[in-house]
Amino acid sequence: MVKICCIGAGYVGGPTMAVIAVKCPSIEVAVVDISVSRIQAWNSKQLPIYEPGLDDVVKQCRGKNLFFSTDVERHVAEADIVFVSVNTPTKTRGLGAGKAADLTYWESAARMIADVSKSDKIVVEKSTVPVKTAEAIERILTHNSKGINYQILSNPEFLAEGTAVQDLFNPDRVLIGGRETPEGRKAVDALKSVYAHWVPEEKILCTNLWSAELSKLAANAFLAQRISSVNAMSALCEATGADVAQVAHAVGTDSRIGPKFLKASVGFGGSCFQKDILNLVYICECNGLGEVGGYWRQVIKVNDYQKSRFVNRVVSSMFNTVAGKKVAILGFAFKKDTGDTRETAAIDVCKGLIGDKARLSIYDPQVSEEQIQKDLAMNKFEWDHPAHLQPAAGAGGGKQVSVVGDVYEAAEGAHALCVLTEWEEFKGVDYGRIYGSMQKPAFVFDGRNVVDVEKLREIGFIVYSIGKPLDPWLKDMPAVA
């Protein structure tokens, strides 16, 4: 029986290995992690991550050919193929701080693989890594090989949270990069045979190592660029009276452009977009391509501008102060159908309002109070480090922040609602009831364009919706920088 081991039981490792296990019953799959609590959660009824359909997949094969364990070294030693899906956070100090990927955890994993291996192995990069990481890992393994042969492959993930299981079952493509040698091609074929259990051959793309590594960074950069492009247009739409949804639809019907990732919002989030673009910028600069790096950095600048523009709009609309005012925050996850808060726009919006002395009442159907408080306490880039290096929960917004159990409790006595995640339930709540419980004038600031603007205005709300023609009230407010 072929044995696969994945180091790292997070958002990528757990779901990916669960789908491999359910689609390949003849392969034994072990997911290992040094975090005892995380592995216990994977072995419980309450999985450590929320992803539609994941529970059913895990239940089908857990204990049969899918195992979650903290016995990292034993499972690595026994495996034929080792996936490495560990954190690659942005460096916070030293060379490349604020841009370069920190490969500390990747290097530790490589050295551990070399220490415990007793048989030849295929080592697969699953984490998003800088171009040429495979070469560095190859050198570590080769210099510590003890006669064991290693082949390094790049197999980047292209999952979208909220649809990760669906993406794994029916991927647009599976990308495998390897050395263009007989041994490298044999390793590529071995991994290709795993995916071929359910992925059509024409969707399995094989490239050299460097192309595979760069393709992942490029794909995320292109997607984030589209979001920043439509968000930049949203600011111009507000200034001119155009409707960004209508503009995006008109642009997206062009078959050369297409409609995806053209929805204006308060800003993109998630674990990959910002981190990967910053990494791309650093690689460009290291290769003397400053102009190219500057082009991609602008995608991040527009995203930051969109978040600060939203906060400024809230403050300026409410008589230029939110000090002491209750503001209901609806949604904290970076997108719907996930509990993931990494780099969520809600963090910067909440911190901006807290800085202006607002009192926040936060509700999200999938994010815990502990996670929200921890996120508001963290400095930039700290989220991608192990839990023991992150701040304790409860140190975030202090007395200015409360986390509540439903929309109505969040809105009770509030001066404003800020919709920051596009959860479906926010479309169907009783806004008449909410209006009756709020201070007047009552404001709605829709950062996801999910509410029925005209209906809410009929109720009596003053409504701001990203990229939409401004409410007459807002036109009289100070200009937003």
Side-chain angles (χ1 to χ4, degrees), residues 209-224:
L209 270 171
W210 325 132
S211 296
E213 288 179 332
L214 184 55
S215 293
K216 168 63 176 176
L217 297 181
N220 278 341
F222 275 53
L223 292 173

Side-chain angles (χ1 to χ4, degrees), residues 111-427:
R111 293 186 182 280
M112 183 271 295
I113 292 169
D115 286 343
V116 306
S117 293
K118 299 179 178 62
S119 59
D120 293 353
K121 302 239 181 298
I122 297 171
V123 178
V124 183
E125 293 176 338
K126 202 64 183 170
S127 312
T128 303
V129 294
V131 183
K132 299 289 186 179
T133 296
E135 192 170 61
I137 302 307
E138 201 171 51
R139 287 174 180 170
I140 291 170
L141 293 172
T142 301
H143 282 280
N144 295 277
S145 66
K146 299 173 290 188
I148 293 168
N149 296 311
Y150 298 98
Q151 282 298 318
I152 315 300
L153 301 180
S154 174
N155 175 219
E157 54 84 16
F158 296 100
L159 307 180
E161 288 185 45
T163 59
V165 174
Q166 180 184 326
D167 294 342
L168 286 162
F169 280 139
N170 186 28
D172 289 336
R173 78 292 205 193
V174 171
L175 181 59
I176 303 172
R179 285 287 193 184
E180 294 175 306
T181 63
E183 297 81 9
R185 283 189 281 271
K186 185 177 178 182
V188 168
D189 287 341
L191 184 55
K192 185 177 178 180
S193 70
V194 173
Y195 285 110
H197 280 80
W198 78 96
V199 180
E201 186 174 358
E202 64 270 16
K203 287 190 173 185
I204 303 176
L205 312 181
C206 300
T207 68
N208 68 34
L209 270 171
W210 325 132
S211 296
E213 288 179 332
L214 184 55
S215 293
K216 168 63 176 176
L217 297 181
N220 278 341
F222 275 53
L223 292 173
Q225 177 200 47
R226 285 175 70 94
I227 297 171
S228 281
S229 293
V230 75
N231 282 344
M233 292 305 303
S234 75
L236 185 57
C237 285
E238 290 170 27
T240 60
D243 184 326
V244 72
Q246 295 174 357
V247 172
H249 178 68
V251 170
T253 52
D254 187 324
S255 61
R256 297 168 300 174
I257 298 172
K260 293 184 177 179
F261 279 76
L262 289 181
K263 188 164 185 177
S265 70
V266 67
F268 60 72
S271 64
C272 291
F273 282 0
Q274 175 164 291
K275 182 176 73 171
D276 288 358
I277 291 173
L278 290 172
N279 194 353
L280 189 61
V281 169
Y282 183 68
I283 293 168
C284 290
E285 291 174 351
C286 288
N287 284 281
L289 302 172
E291 291 82 358
V292 178
Y295 172 82
W296 289 113
R297 181 182 284 280
Q298 197 62 32
V299 173
I300 299 292
K301 286 184 176 180
V302 170
N303 196 53
D304 290 340
Y305 166 73
Q306 188 77 340
K307 290 180 284 188
S308 63
R309 194 171 75 83
F310 186 86
V311 172
N312 290 345
R313 178 67 75 183
V314 173
V315 176
S316 66
S317 301
M318 296 169 66
F319 312 104
N320 224 34
T321 179
V322 291
K325 295 176 182 177
K326 179 179 177 181
V327 177
I329 303 295
L330 305 188
F332 199 84
F334 85 91
K335 60 187 273 190
K336 69 175 183 178
D337 294 334
T338 179
D340 194 355
T341 61
R342 293 176 292 178
E343 293 290 354
T344 175
I347 293 174
D348 286 340
V349 171
C350 288
K351 284 184 175 181
L353 294 172
I354 290 168
D356 223 294
K357 297 184 169 56
R359 294 184 298 112
L360 305 185
S361 184
I362 303 174
Y363 166 67
D364 188 287
Q366 288 296 333
V367 184
S368 68
E369 178 174 3
E370 179 184 13
Q371 187 61 53
I372 289 171
Q373 295 287 6
K374 184 183 285 189
D375 285 333
L376 293 177
M378 276 193 268
N379 295 317
K380 209 165 184 63
F381 307 127
E382 285 182 340
W383 57 266
D384 209 10
H385 289 272
H388 69 278
L389 296 177
Q390 296 176 4
K399 294 180 180 178
Q400 285 178 255
V401 174
S402 62
V403 180
V404 300
D406 64 54
V407 172
Y408 302 104
E409 187 180 357
E412 180 77 35
H415 290 258
L417 308 178
C418 294
V419 182
L420 301 183
T421 309
E422 67 279 22
W423 288 104
E424 288 298 317
E425 72 173 86
F426 298 155
K427 297 178 182 178

Side-chain angles (χ1 to χ4, degrees), residues 435-454:
Y435 181 77
S437 73
M438 291 177 64
Q439 299 288 335
K440 307 299 185 299
F443 296 85
V444 172
F445 299 95
D446 185 2
R448 296 289 175 177
N449 286 348
V450 297
V451 304
D452 185 330
V453 175
E454 292 309 316

